[in-house]
Amino acid sequence: MIHNFRELVVWQKSMELTKQIYAHTKTFPSYELYGLASQIQRAAVSIPTNIAEGAGRSTNKDLCHFLGYSLGSAYEVETELSLANEFGYIGADVYEDLHQQLIEVQKMLYGLISKHQNINDGE
């Protein structure tokens, strides 16, 4: 059941989102280097990383497990982006753009989980 994670659109989109988050967190105040900036970066990196790890697993159940981790990380990033916006570290336009990309990734992850859980139900 190994998938080529590089071909998964959700992995590609989460990679792009992660790169953009890194670019925007560079502008956070220096005192946030080990705070919110680090936290949002780690959570963002976790999204494509867990997709890749799940794709390398041998069963749909394992894939869903790691996609679930990715989805959890995506919700973590959503919260952290909201905080960054509230604290004025990112502007409303940047927040909206990143948030829309994140929502798309969340929907795609949810769809993949649902699809592969249905496959598990048939096994």
Side-chain angles (χ1 to χ4, degrees):
M1 179 50 46
I2 296 175
H3 299 84
N4 182 346
F5 65 90
R6 291 179 181 277
E7 293 179 0
L8 295 172
V9 174
V10 68
W11 180 84
Q12 296 166 4
K13 289 186 178 286
S14 64
M15 287 289 287
E16 183 58 35
L17 175 64
T18 300
K19 290 188 283 186
Q20 289 186 26
I21 285 173
Y22 264 79
H24 290 292
T25 54
K26 287 180 182 180
T27 65
F28 282 24
S30 60
Y31 58 82
E32 286 291 1
L33 180 62
Y34 300 107
L36 187 58
S38 174
Q39 187 68 25
I40 195 170
Q41 289 169 352
R42 286 181 289 139
V45 165
S46 182
I47 300 169
T49 300
N50 278 301
I51 294 168
E53 185 167 355
R57 298 297 173 136
S58 59
T59 67
N60 280 318
K61 184 176 179 181
D62 289 337
L63 172 62
C64 287
H65 184 77
F66 283 93
L67 292 175
Y69 284 147
S70 289
L71 187 57
S73 294
Y75 284 116
E76 183 179 346
V77 169
E78 184 174 3
T79 299
E80 293 155 357
L81 281 176
S82 294
L83 287 170
N85 185 44
E86 299 261 337
F87 295 155
Y89 300 159
I90 57 174
D93 54 339
V94 170
Y95 170 77
E96 283 302 320
D97 179 52
L98 294 174
H99 188 249
Q100 287 305 311
Q101 290 179 63
L102 186 59
I103 296 299
E104 183 178 14
V105 166
Q106 289 169 341
K107 288 178 180 178
M108 293 175 83
L109 284 167
Y110 184 75
L112 266 179
I113 291 168
S114 295
K115 174 184 172 185
H116 288 282
Q117 281 178 335
N118 289 339
I119 292 171
N120 285 342
D121 292 343
E123 290 179 341

